[in-house]
Amino acid sequence: MKARRTTLAKYVAAHAGGNHPRSGPFVETLITGLREAAQYAQDLHGTHIDFSKLQFEIATEIENVLTKIQTVGDLEQHIADLYKHLDPQALLLSIPGVGRHLAPTLIGILQNIERFHFEKHLRGFCGLFPMRADSGGVERAGQTLTRGGNNRIKHTHFILLLIRHEKQILNWRNFIGD
């Protein structure tokens, strides 16, 4: 392996998570493990894999990912700027549950909120009515939403709920140490 010990030590110091020390025996153990793993991979694959080409391909893929992350960041900033222009008082953001992703989606789809004369008209357009129970139209917690409404808004709600749920699962796993 051609990497110097100091290069590997800097890499470990920059990427070791948690409360691990940034130098000393712990880092030396990691460096030794990295070198042994690299040597094992070279021994295992022999001349069947050109590791310099593989390294180049990985570097290219990382560059592509970083470019896409930058592009998404630029797009999110552009959307935020447009949203500020279209809703300068950030009225949609003041609604509980409406965040920086849902508010621009709503503005883009609804366009002119004044066309909805009542809240129930807006809720119906968005598909945010619970289905009525067969026994007297009682609304109960846990009922599913109607199948009506704008599919883009419902799709955005669904994706945001999945993200929120995933974050809750990750927070719970971190809490219990899983």
Side-chain angles (χ1 to χ4, degrees):
M1 186 166 162
K2 296 178 184 179
R4 295 182 191 163
R5 194 206 69 71
T6 55
T7 303
L8 290 174
K10 286 179 185 177
Y11 178 83
V12 168
H15 296 91
N19 294 325
H20 301 298
R22 304 287 185 225
S23 62
F26 175 78
V27 173
E28 293 302 323
T29 302
L30 287 178
I31 290 171
T32 302
L34 285 171
R35 286 181 180 230
E36 288 173 358
Q39 188 60 50
Y40 177 76
Q42 286 179 339
D43 293 343
L44 178 66
H45 298 291
T47 59
H48 300 295
I49 294 179
D50 184 349
F51 285 97
S52 60
K53 287 182 182 178
L54 180 61
Q55 183 179 8
F56 176 76
E57 185 175 336
I58 291 171
T60 303
E61 290 300 321
I62 289 172
E63 188 176 316
N64 289 341
V65 167
L66 293 175
T67 301
K68 287 180 182 179
I69 289 171
Q70 180 63 43
T71 302
V72 168
D74 293 345
L75 182 60
E76 285 181 344
Q77 183 59 49
H78 184 67
I79 290 170
D81 293 342
L82 285 173
Y83 176 76
K84 285 178 188 175
H85 175 72
L86 294 171
D87 187 13
Q89 296 173 332
L91 295 176
L92 280 176
L93 287 173
S94 68
I95 299 171
V98 176
R100 65 184 183 95
H101 294 290
L102 184 55
T105 302
L106 289 173
I107 285 225
I109 294 170
L110 300 176
Q111 296 172 3
N112 183 3
I113 194 103
E114 293 173 1
R115 68 187 175 135
F116 301 100
H117 300 291
F118 299 102
E119 177 190 352
K120 68 180 185 178
H121 293 149
L122 176 60
R123 287 177 62 198
F125 180 82
C126 296
L128 299 177
F129 278 118
M131 292 179 114
R132 299 281 183 181
D134 292 332
S135 59
V138 177
E139 290 184 28
R140 287 184 229 123
Q143 289 181 318
T144 60
L145 296 178
T146 62
R147 289 181 182 88
N150 185 285
N151 286 334
R152 284 187 184 168
I153 293 174
K154 290 190 302 183
H155 178 76
T156 303
H157 277 124
F158 182 72
I159 295 297
L160 293 173
L161 286 172
L162 285 178
I163 292 170
R164 179 177 290 166
H165 182 69
E166 183 66 25
K167 286 181 181 177
Q168 289 173 346
I169 289 173
L170 290 175
N171 288 338
W172 178 249
R173 285 183 179 161
N174 290 337
F175 177 73
I176 64 173
D178 185 20

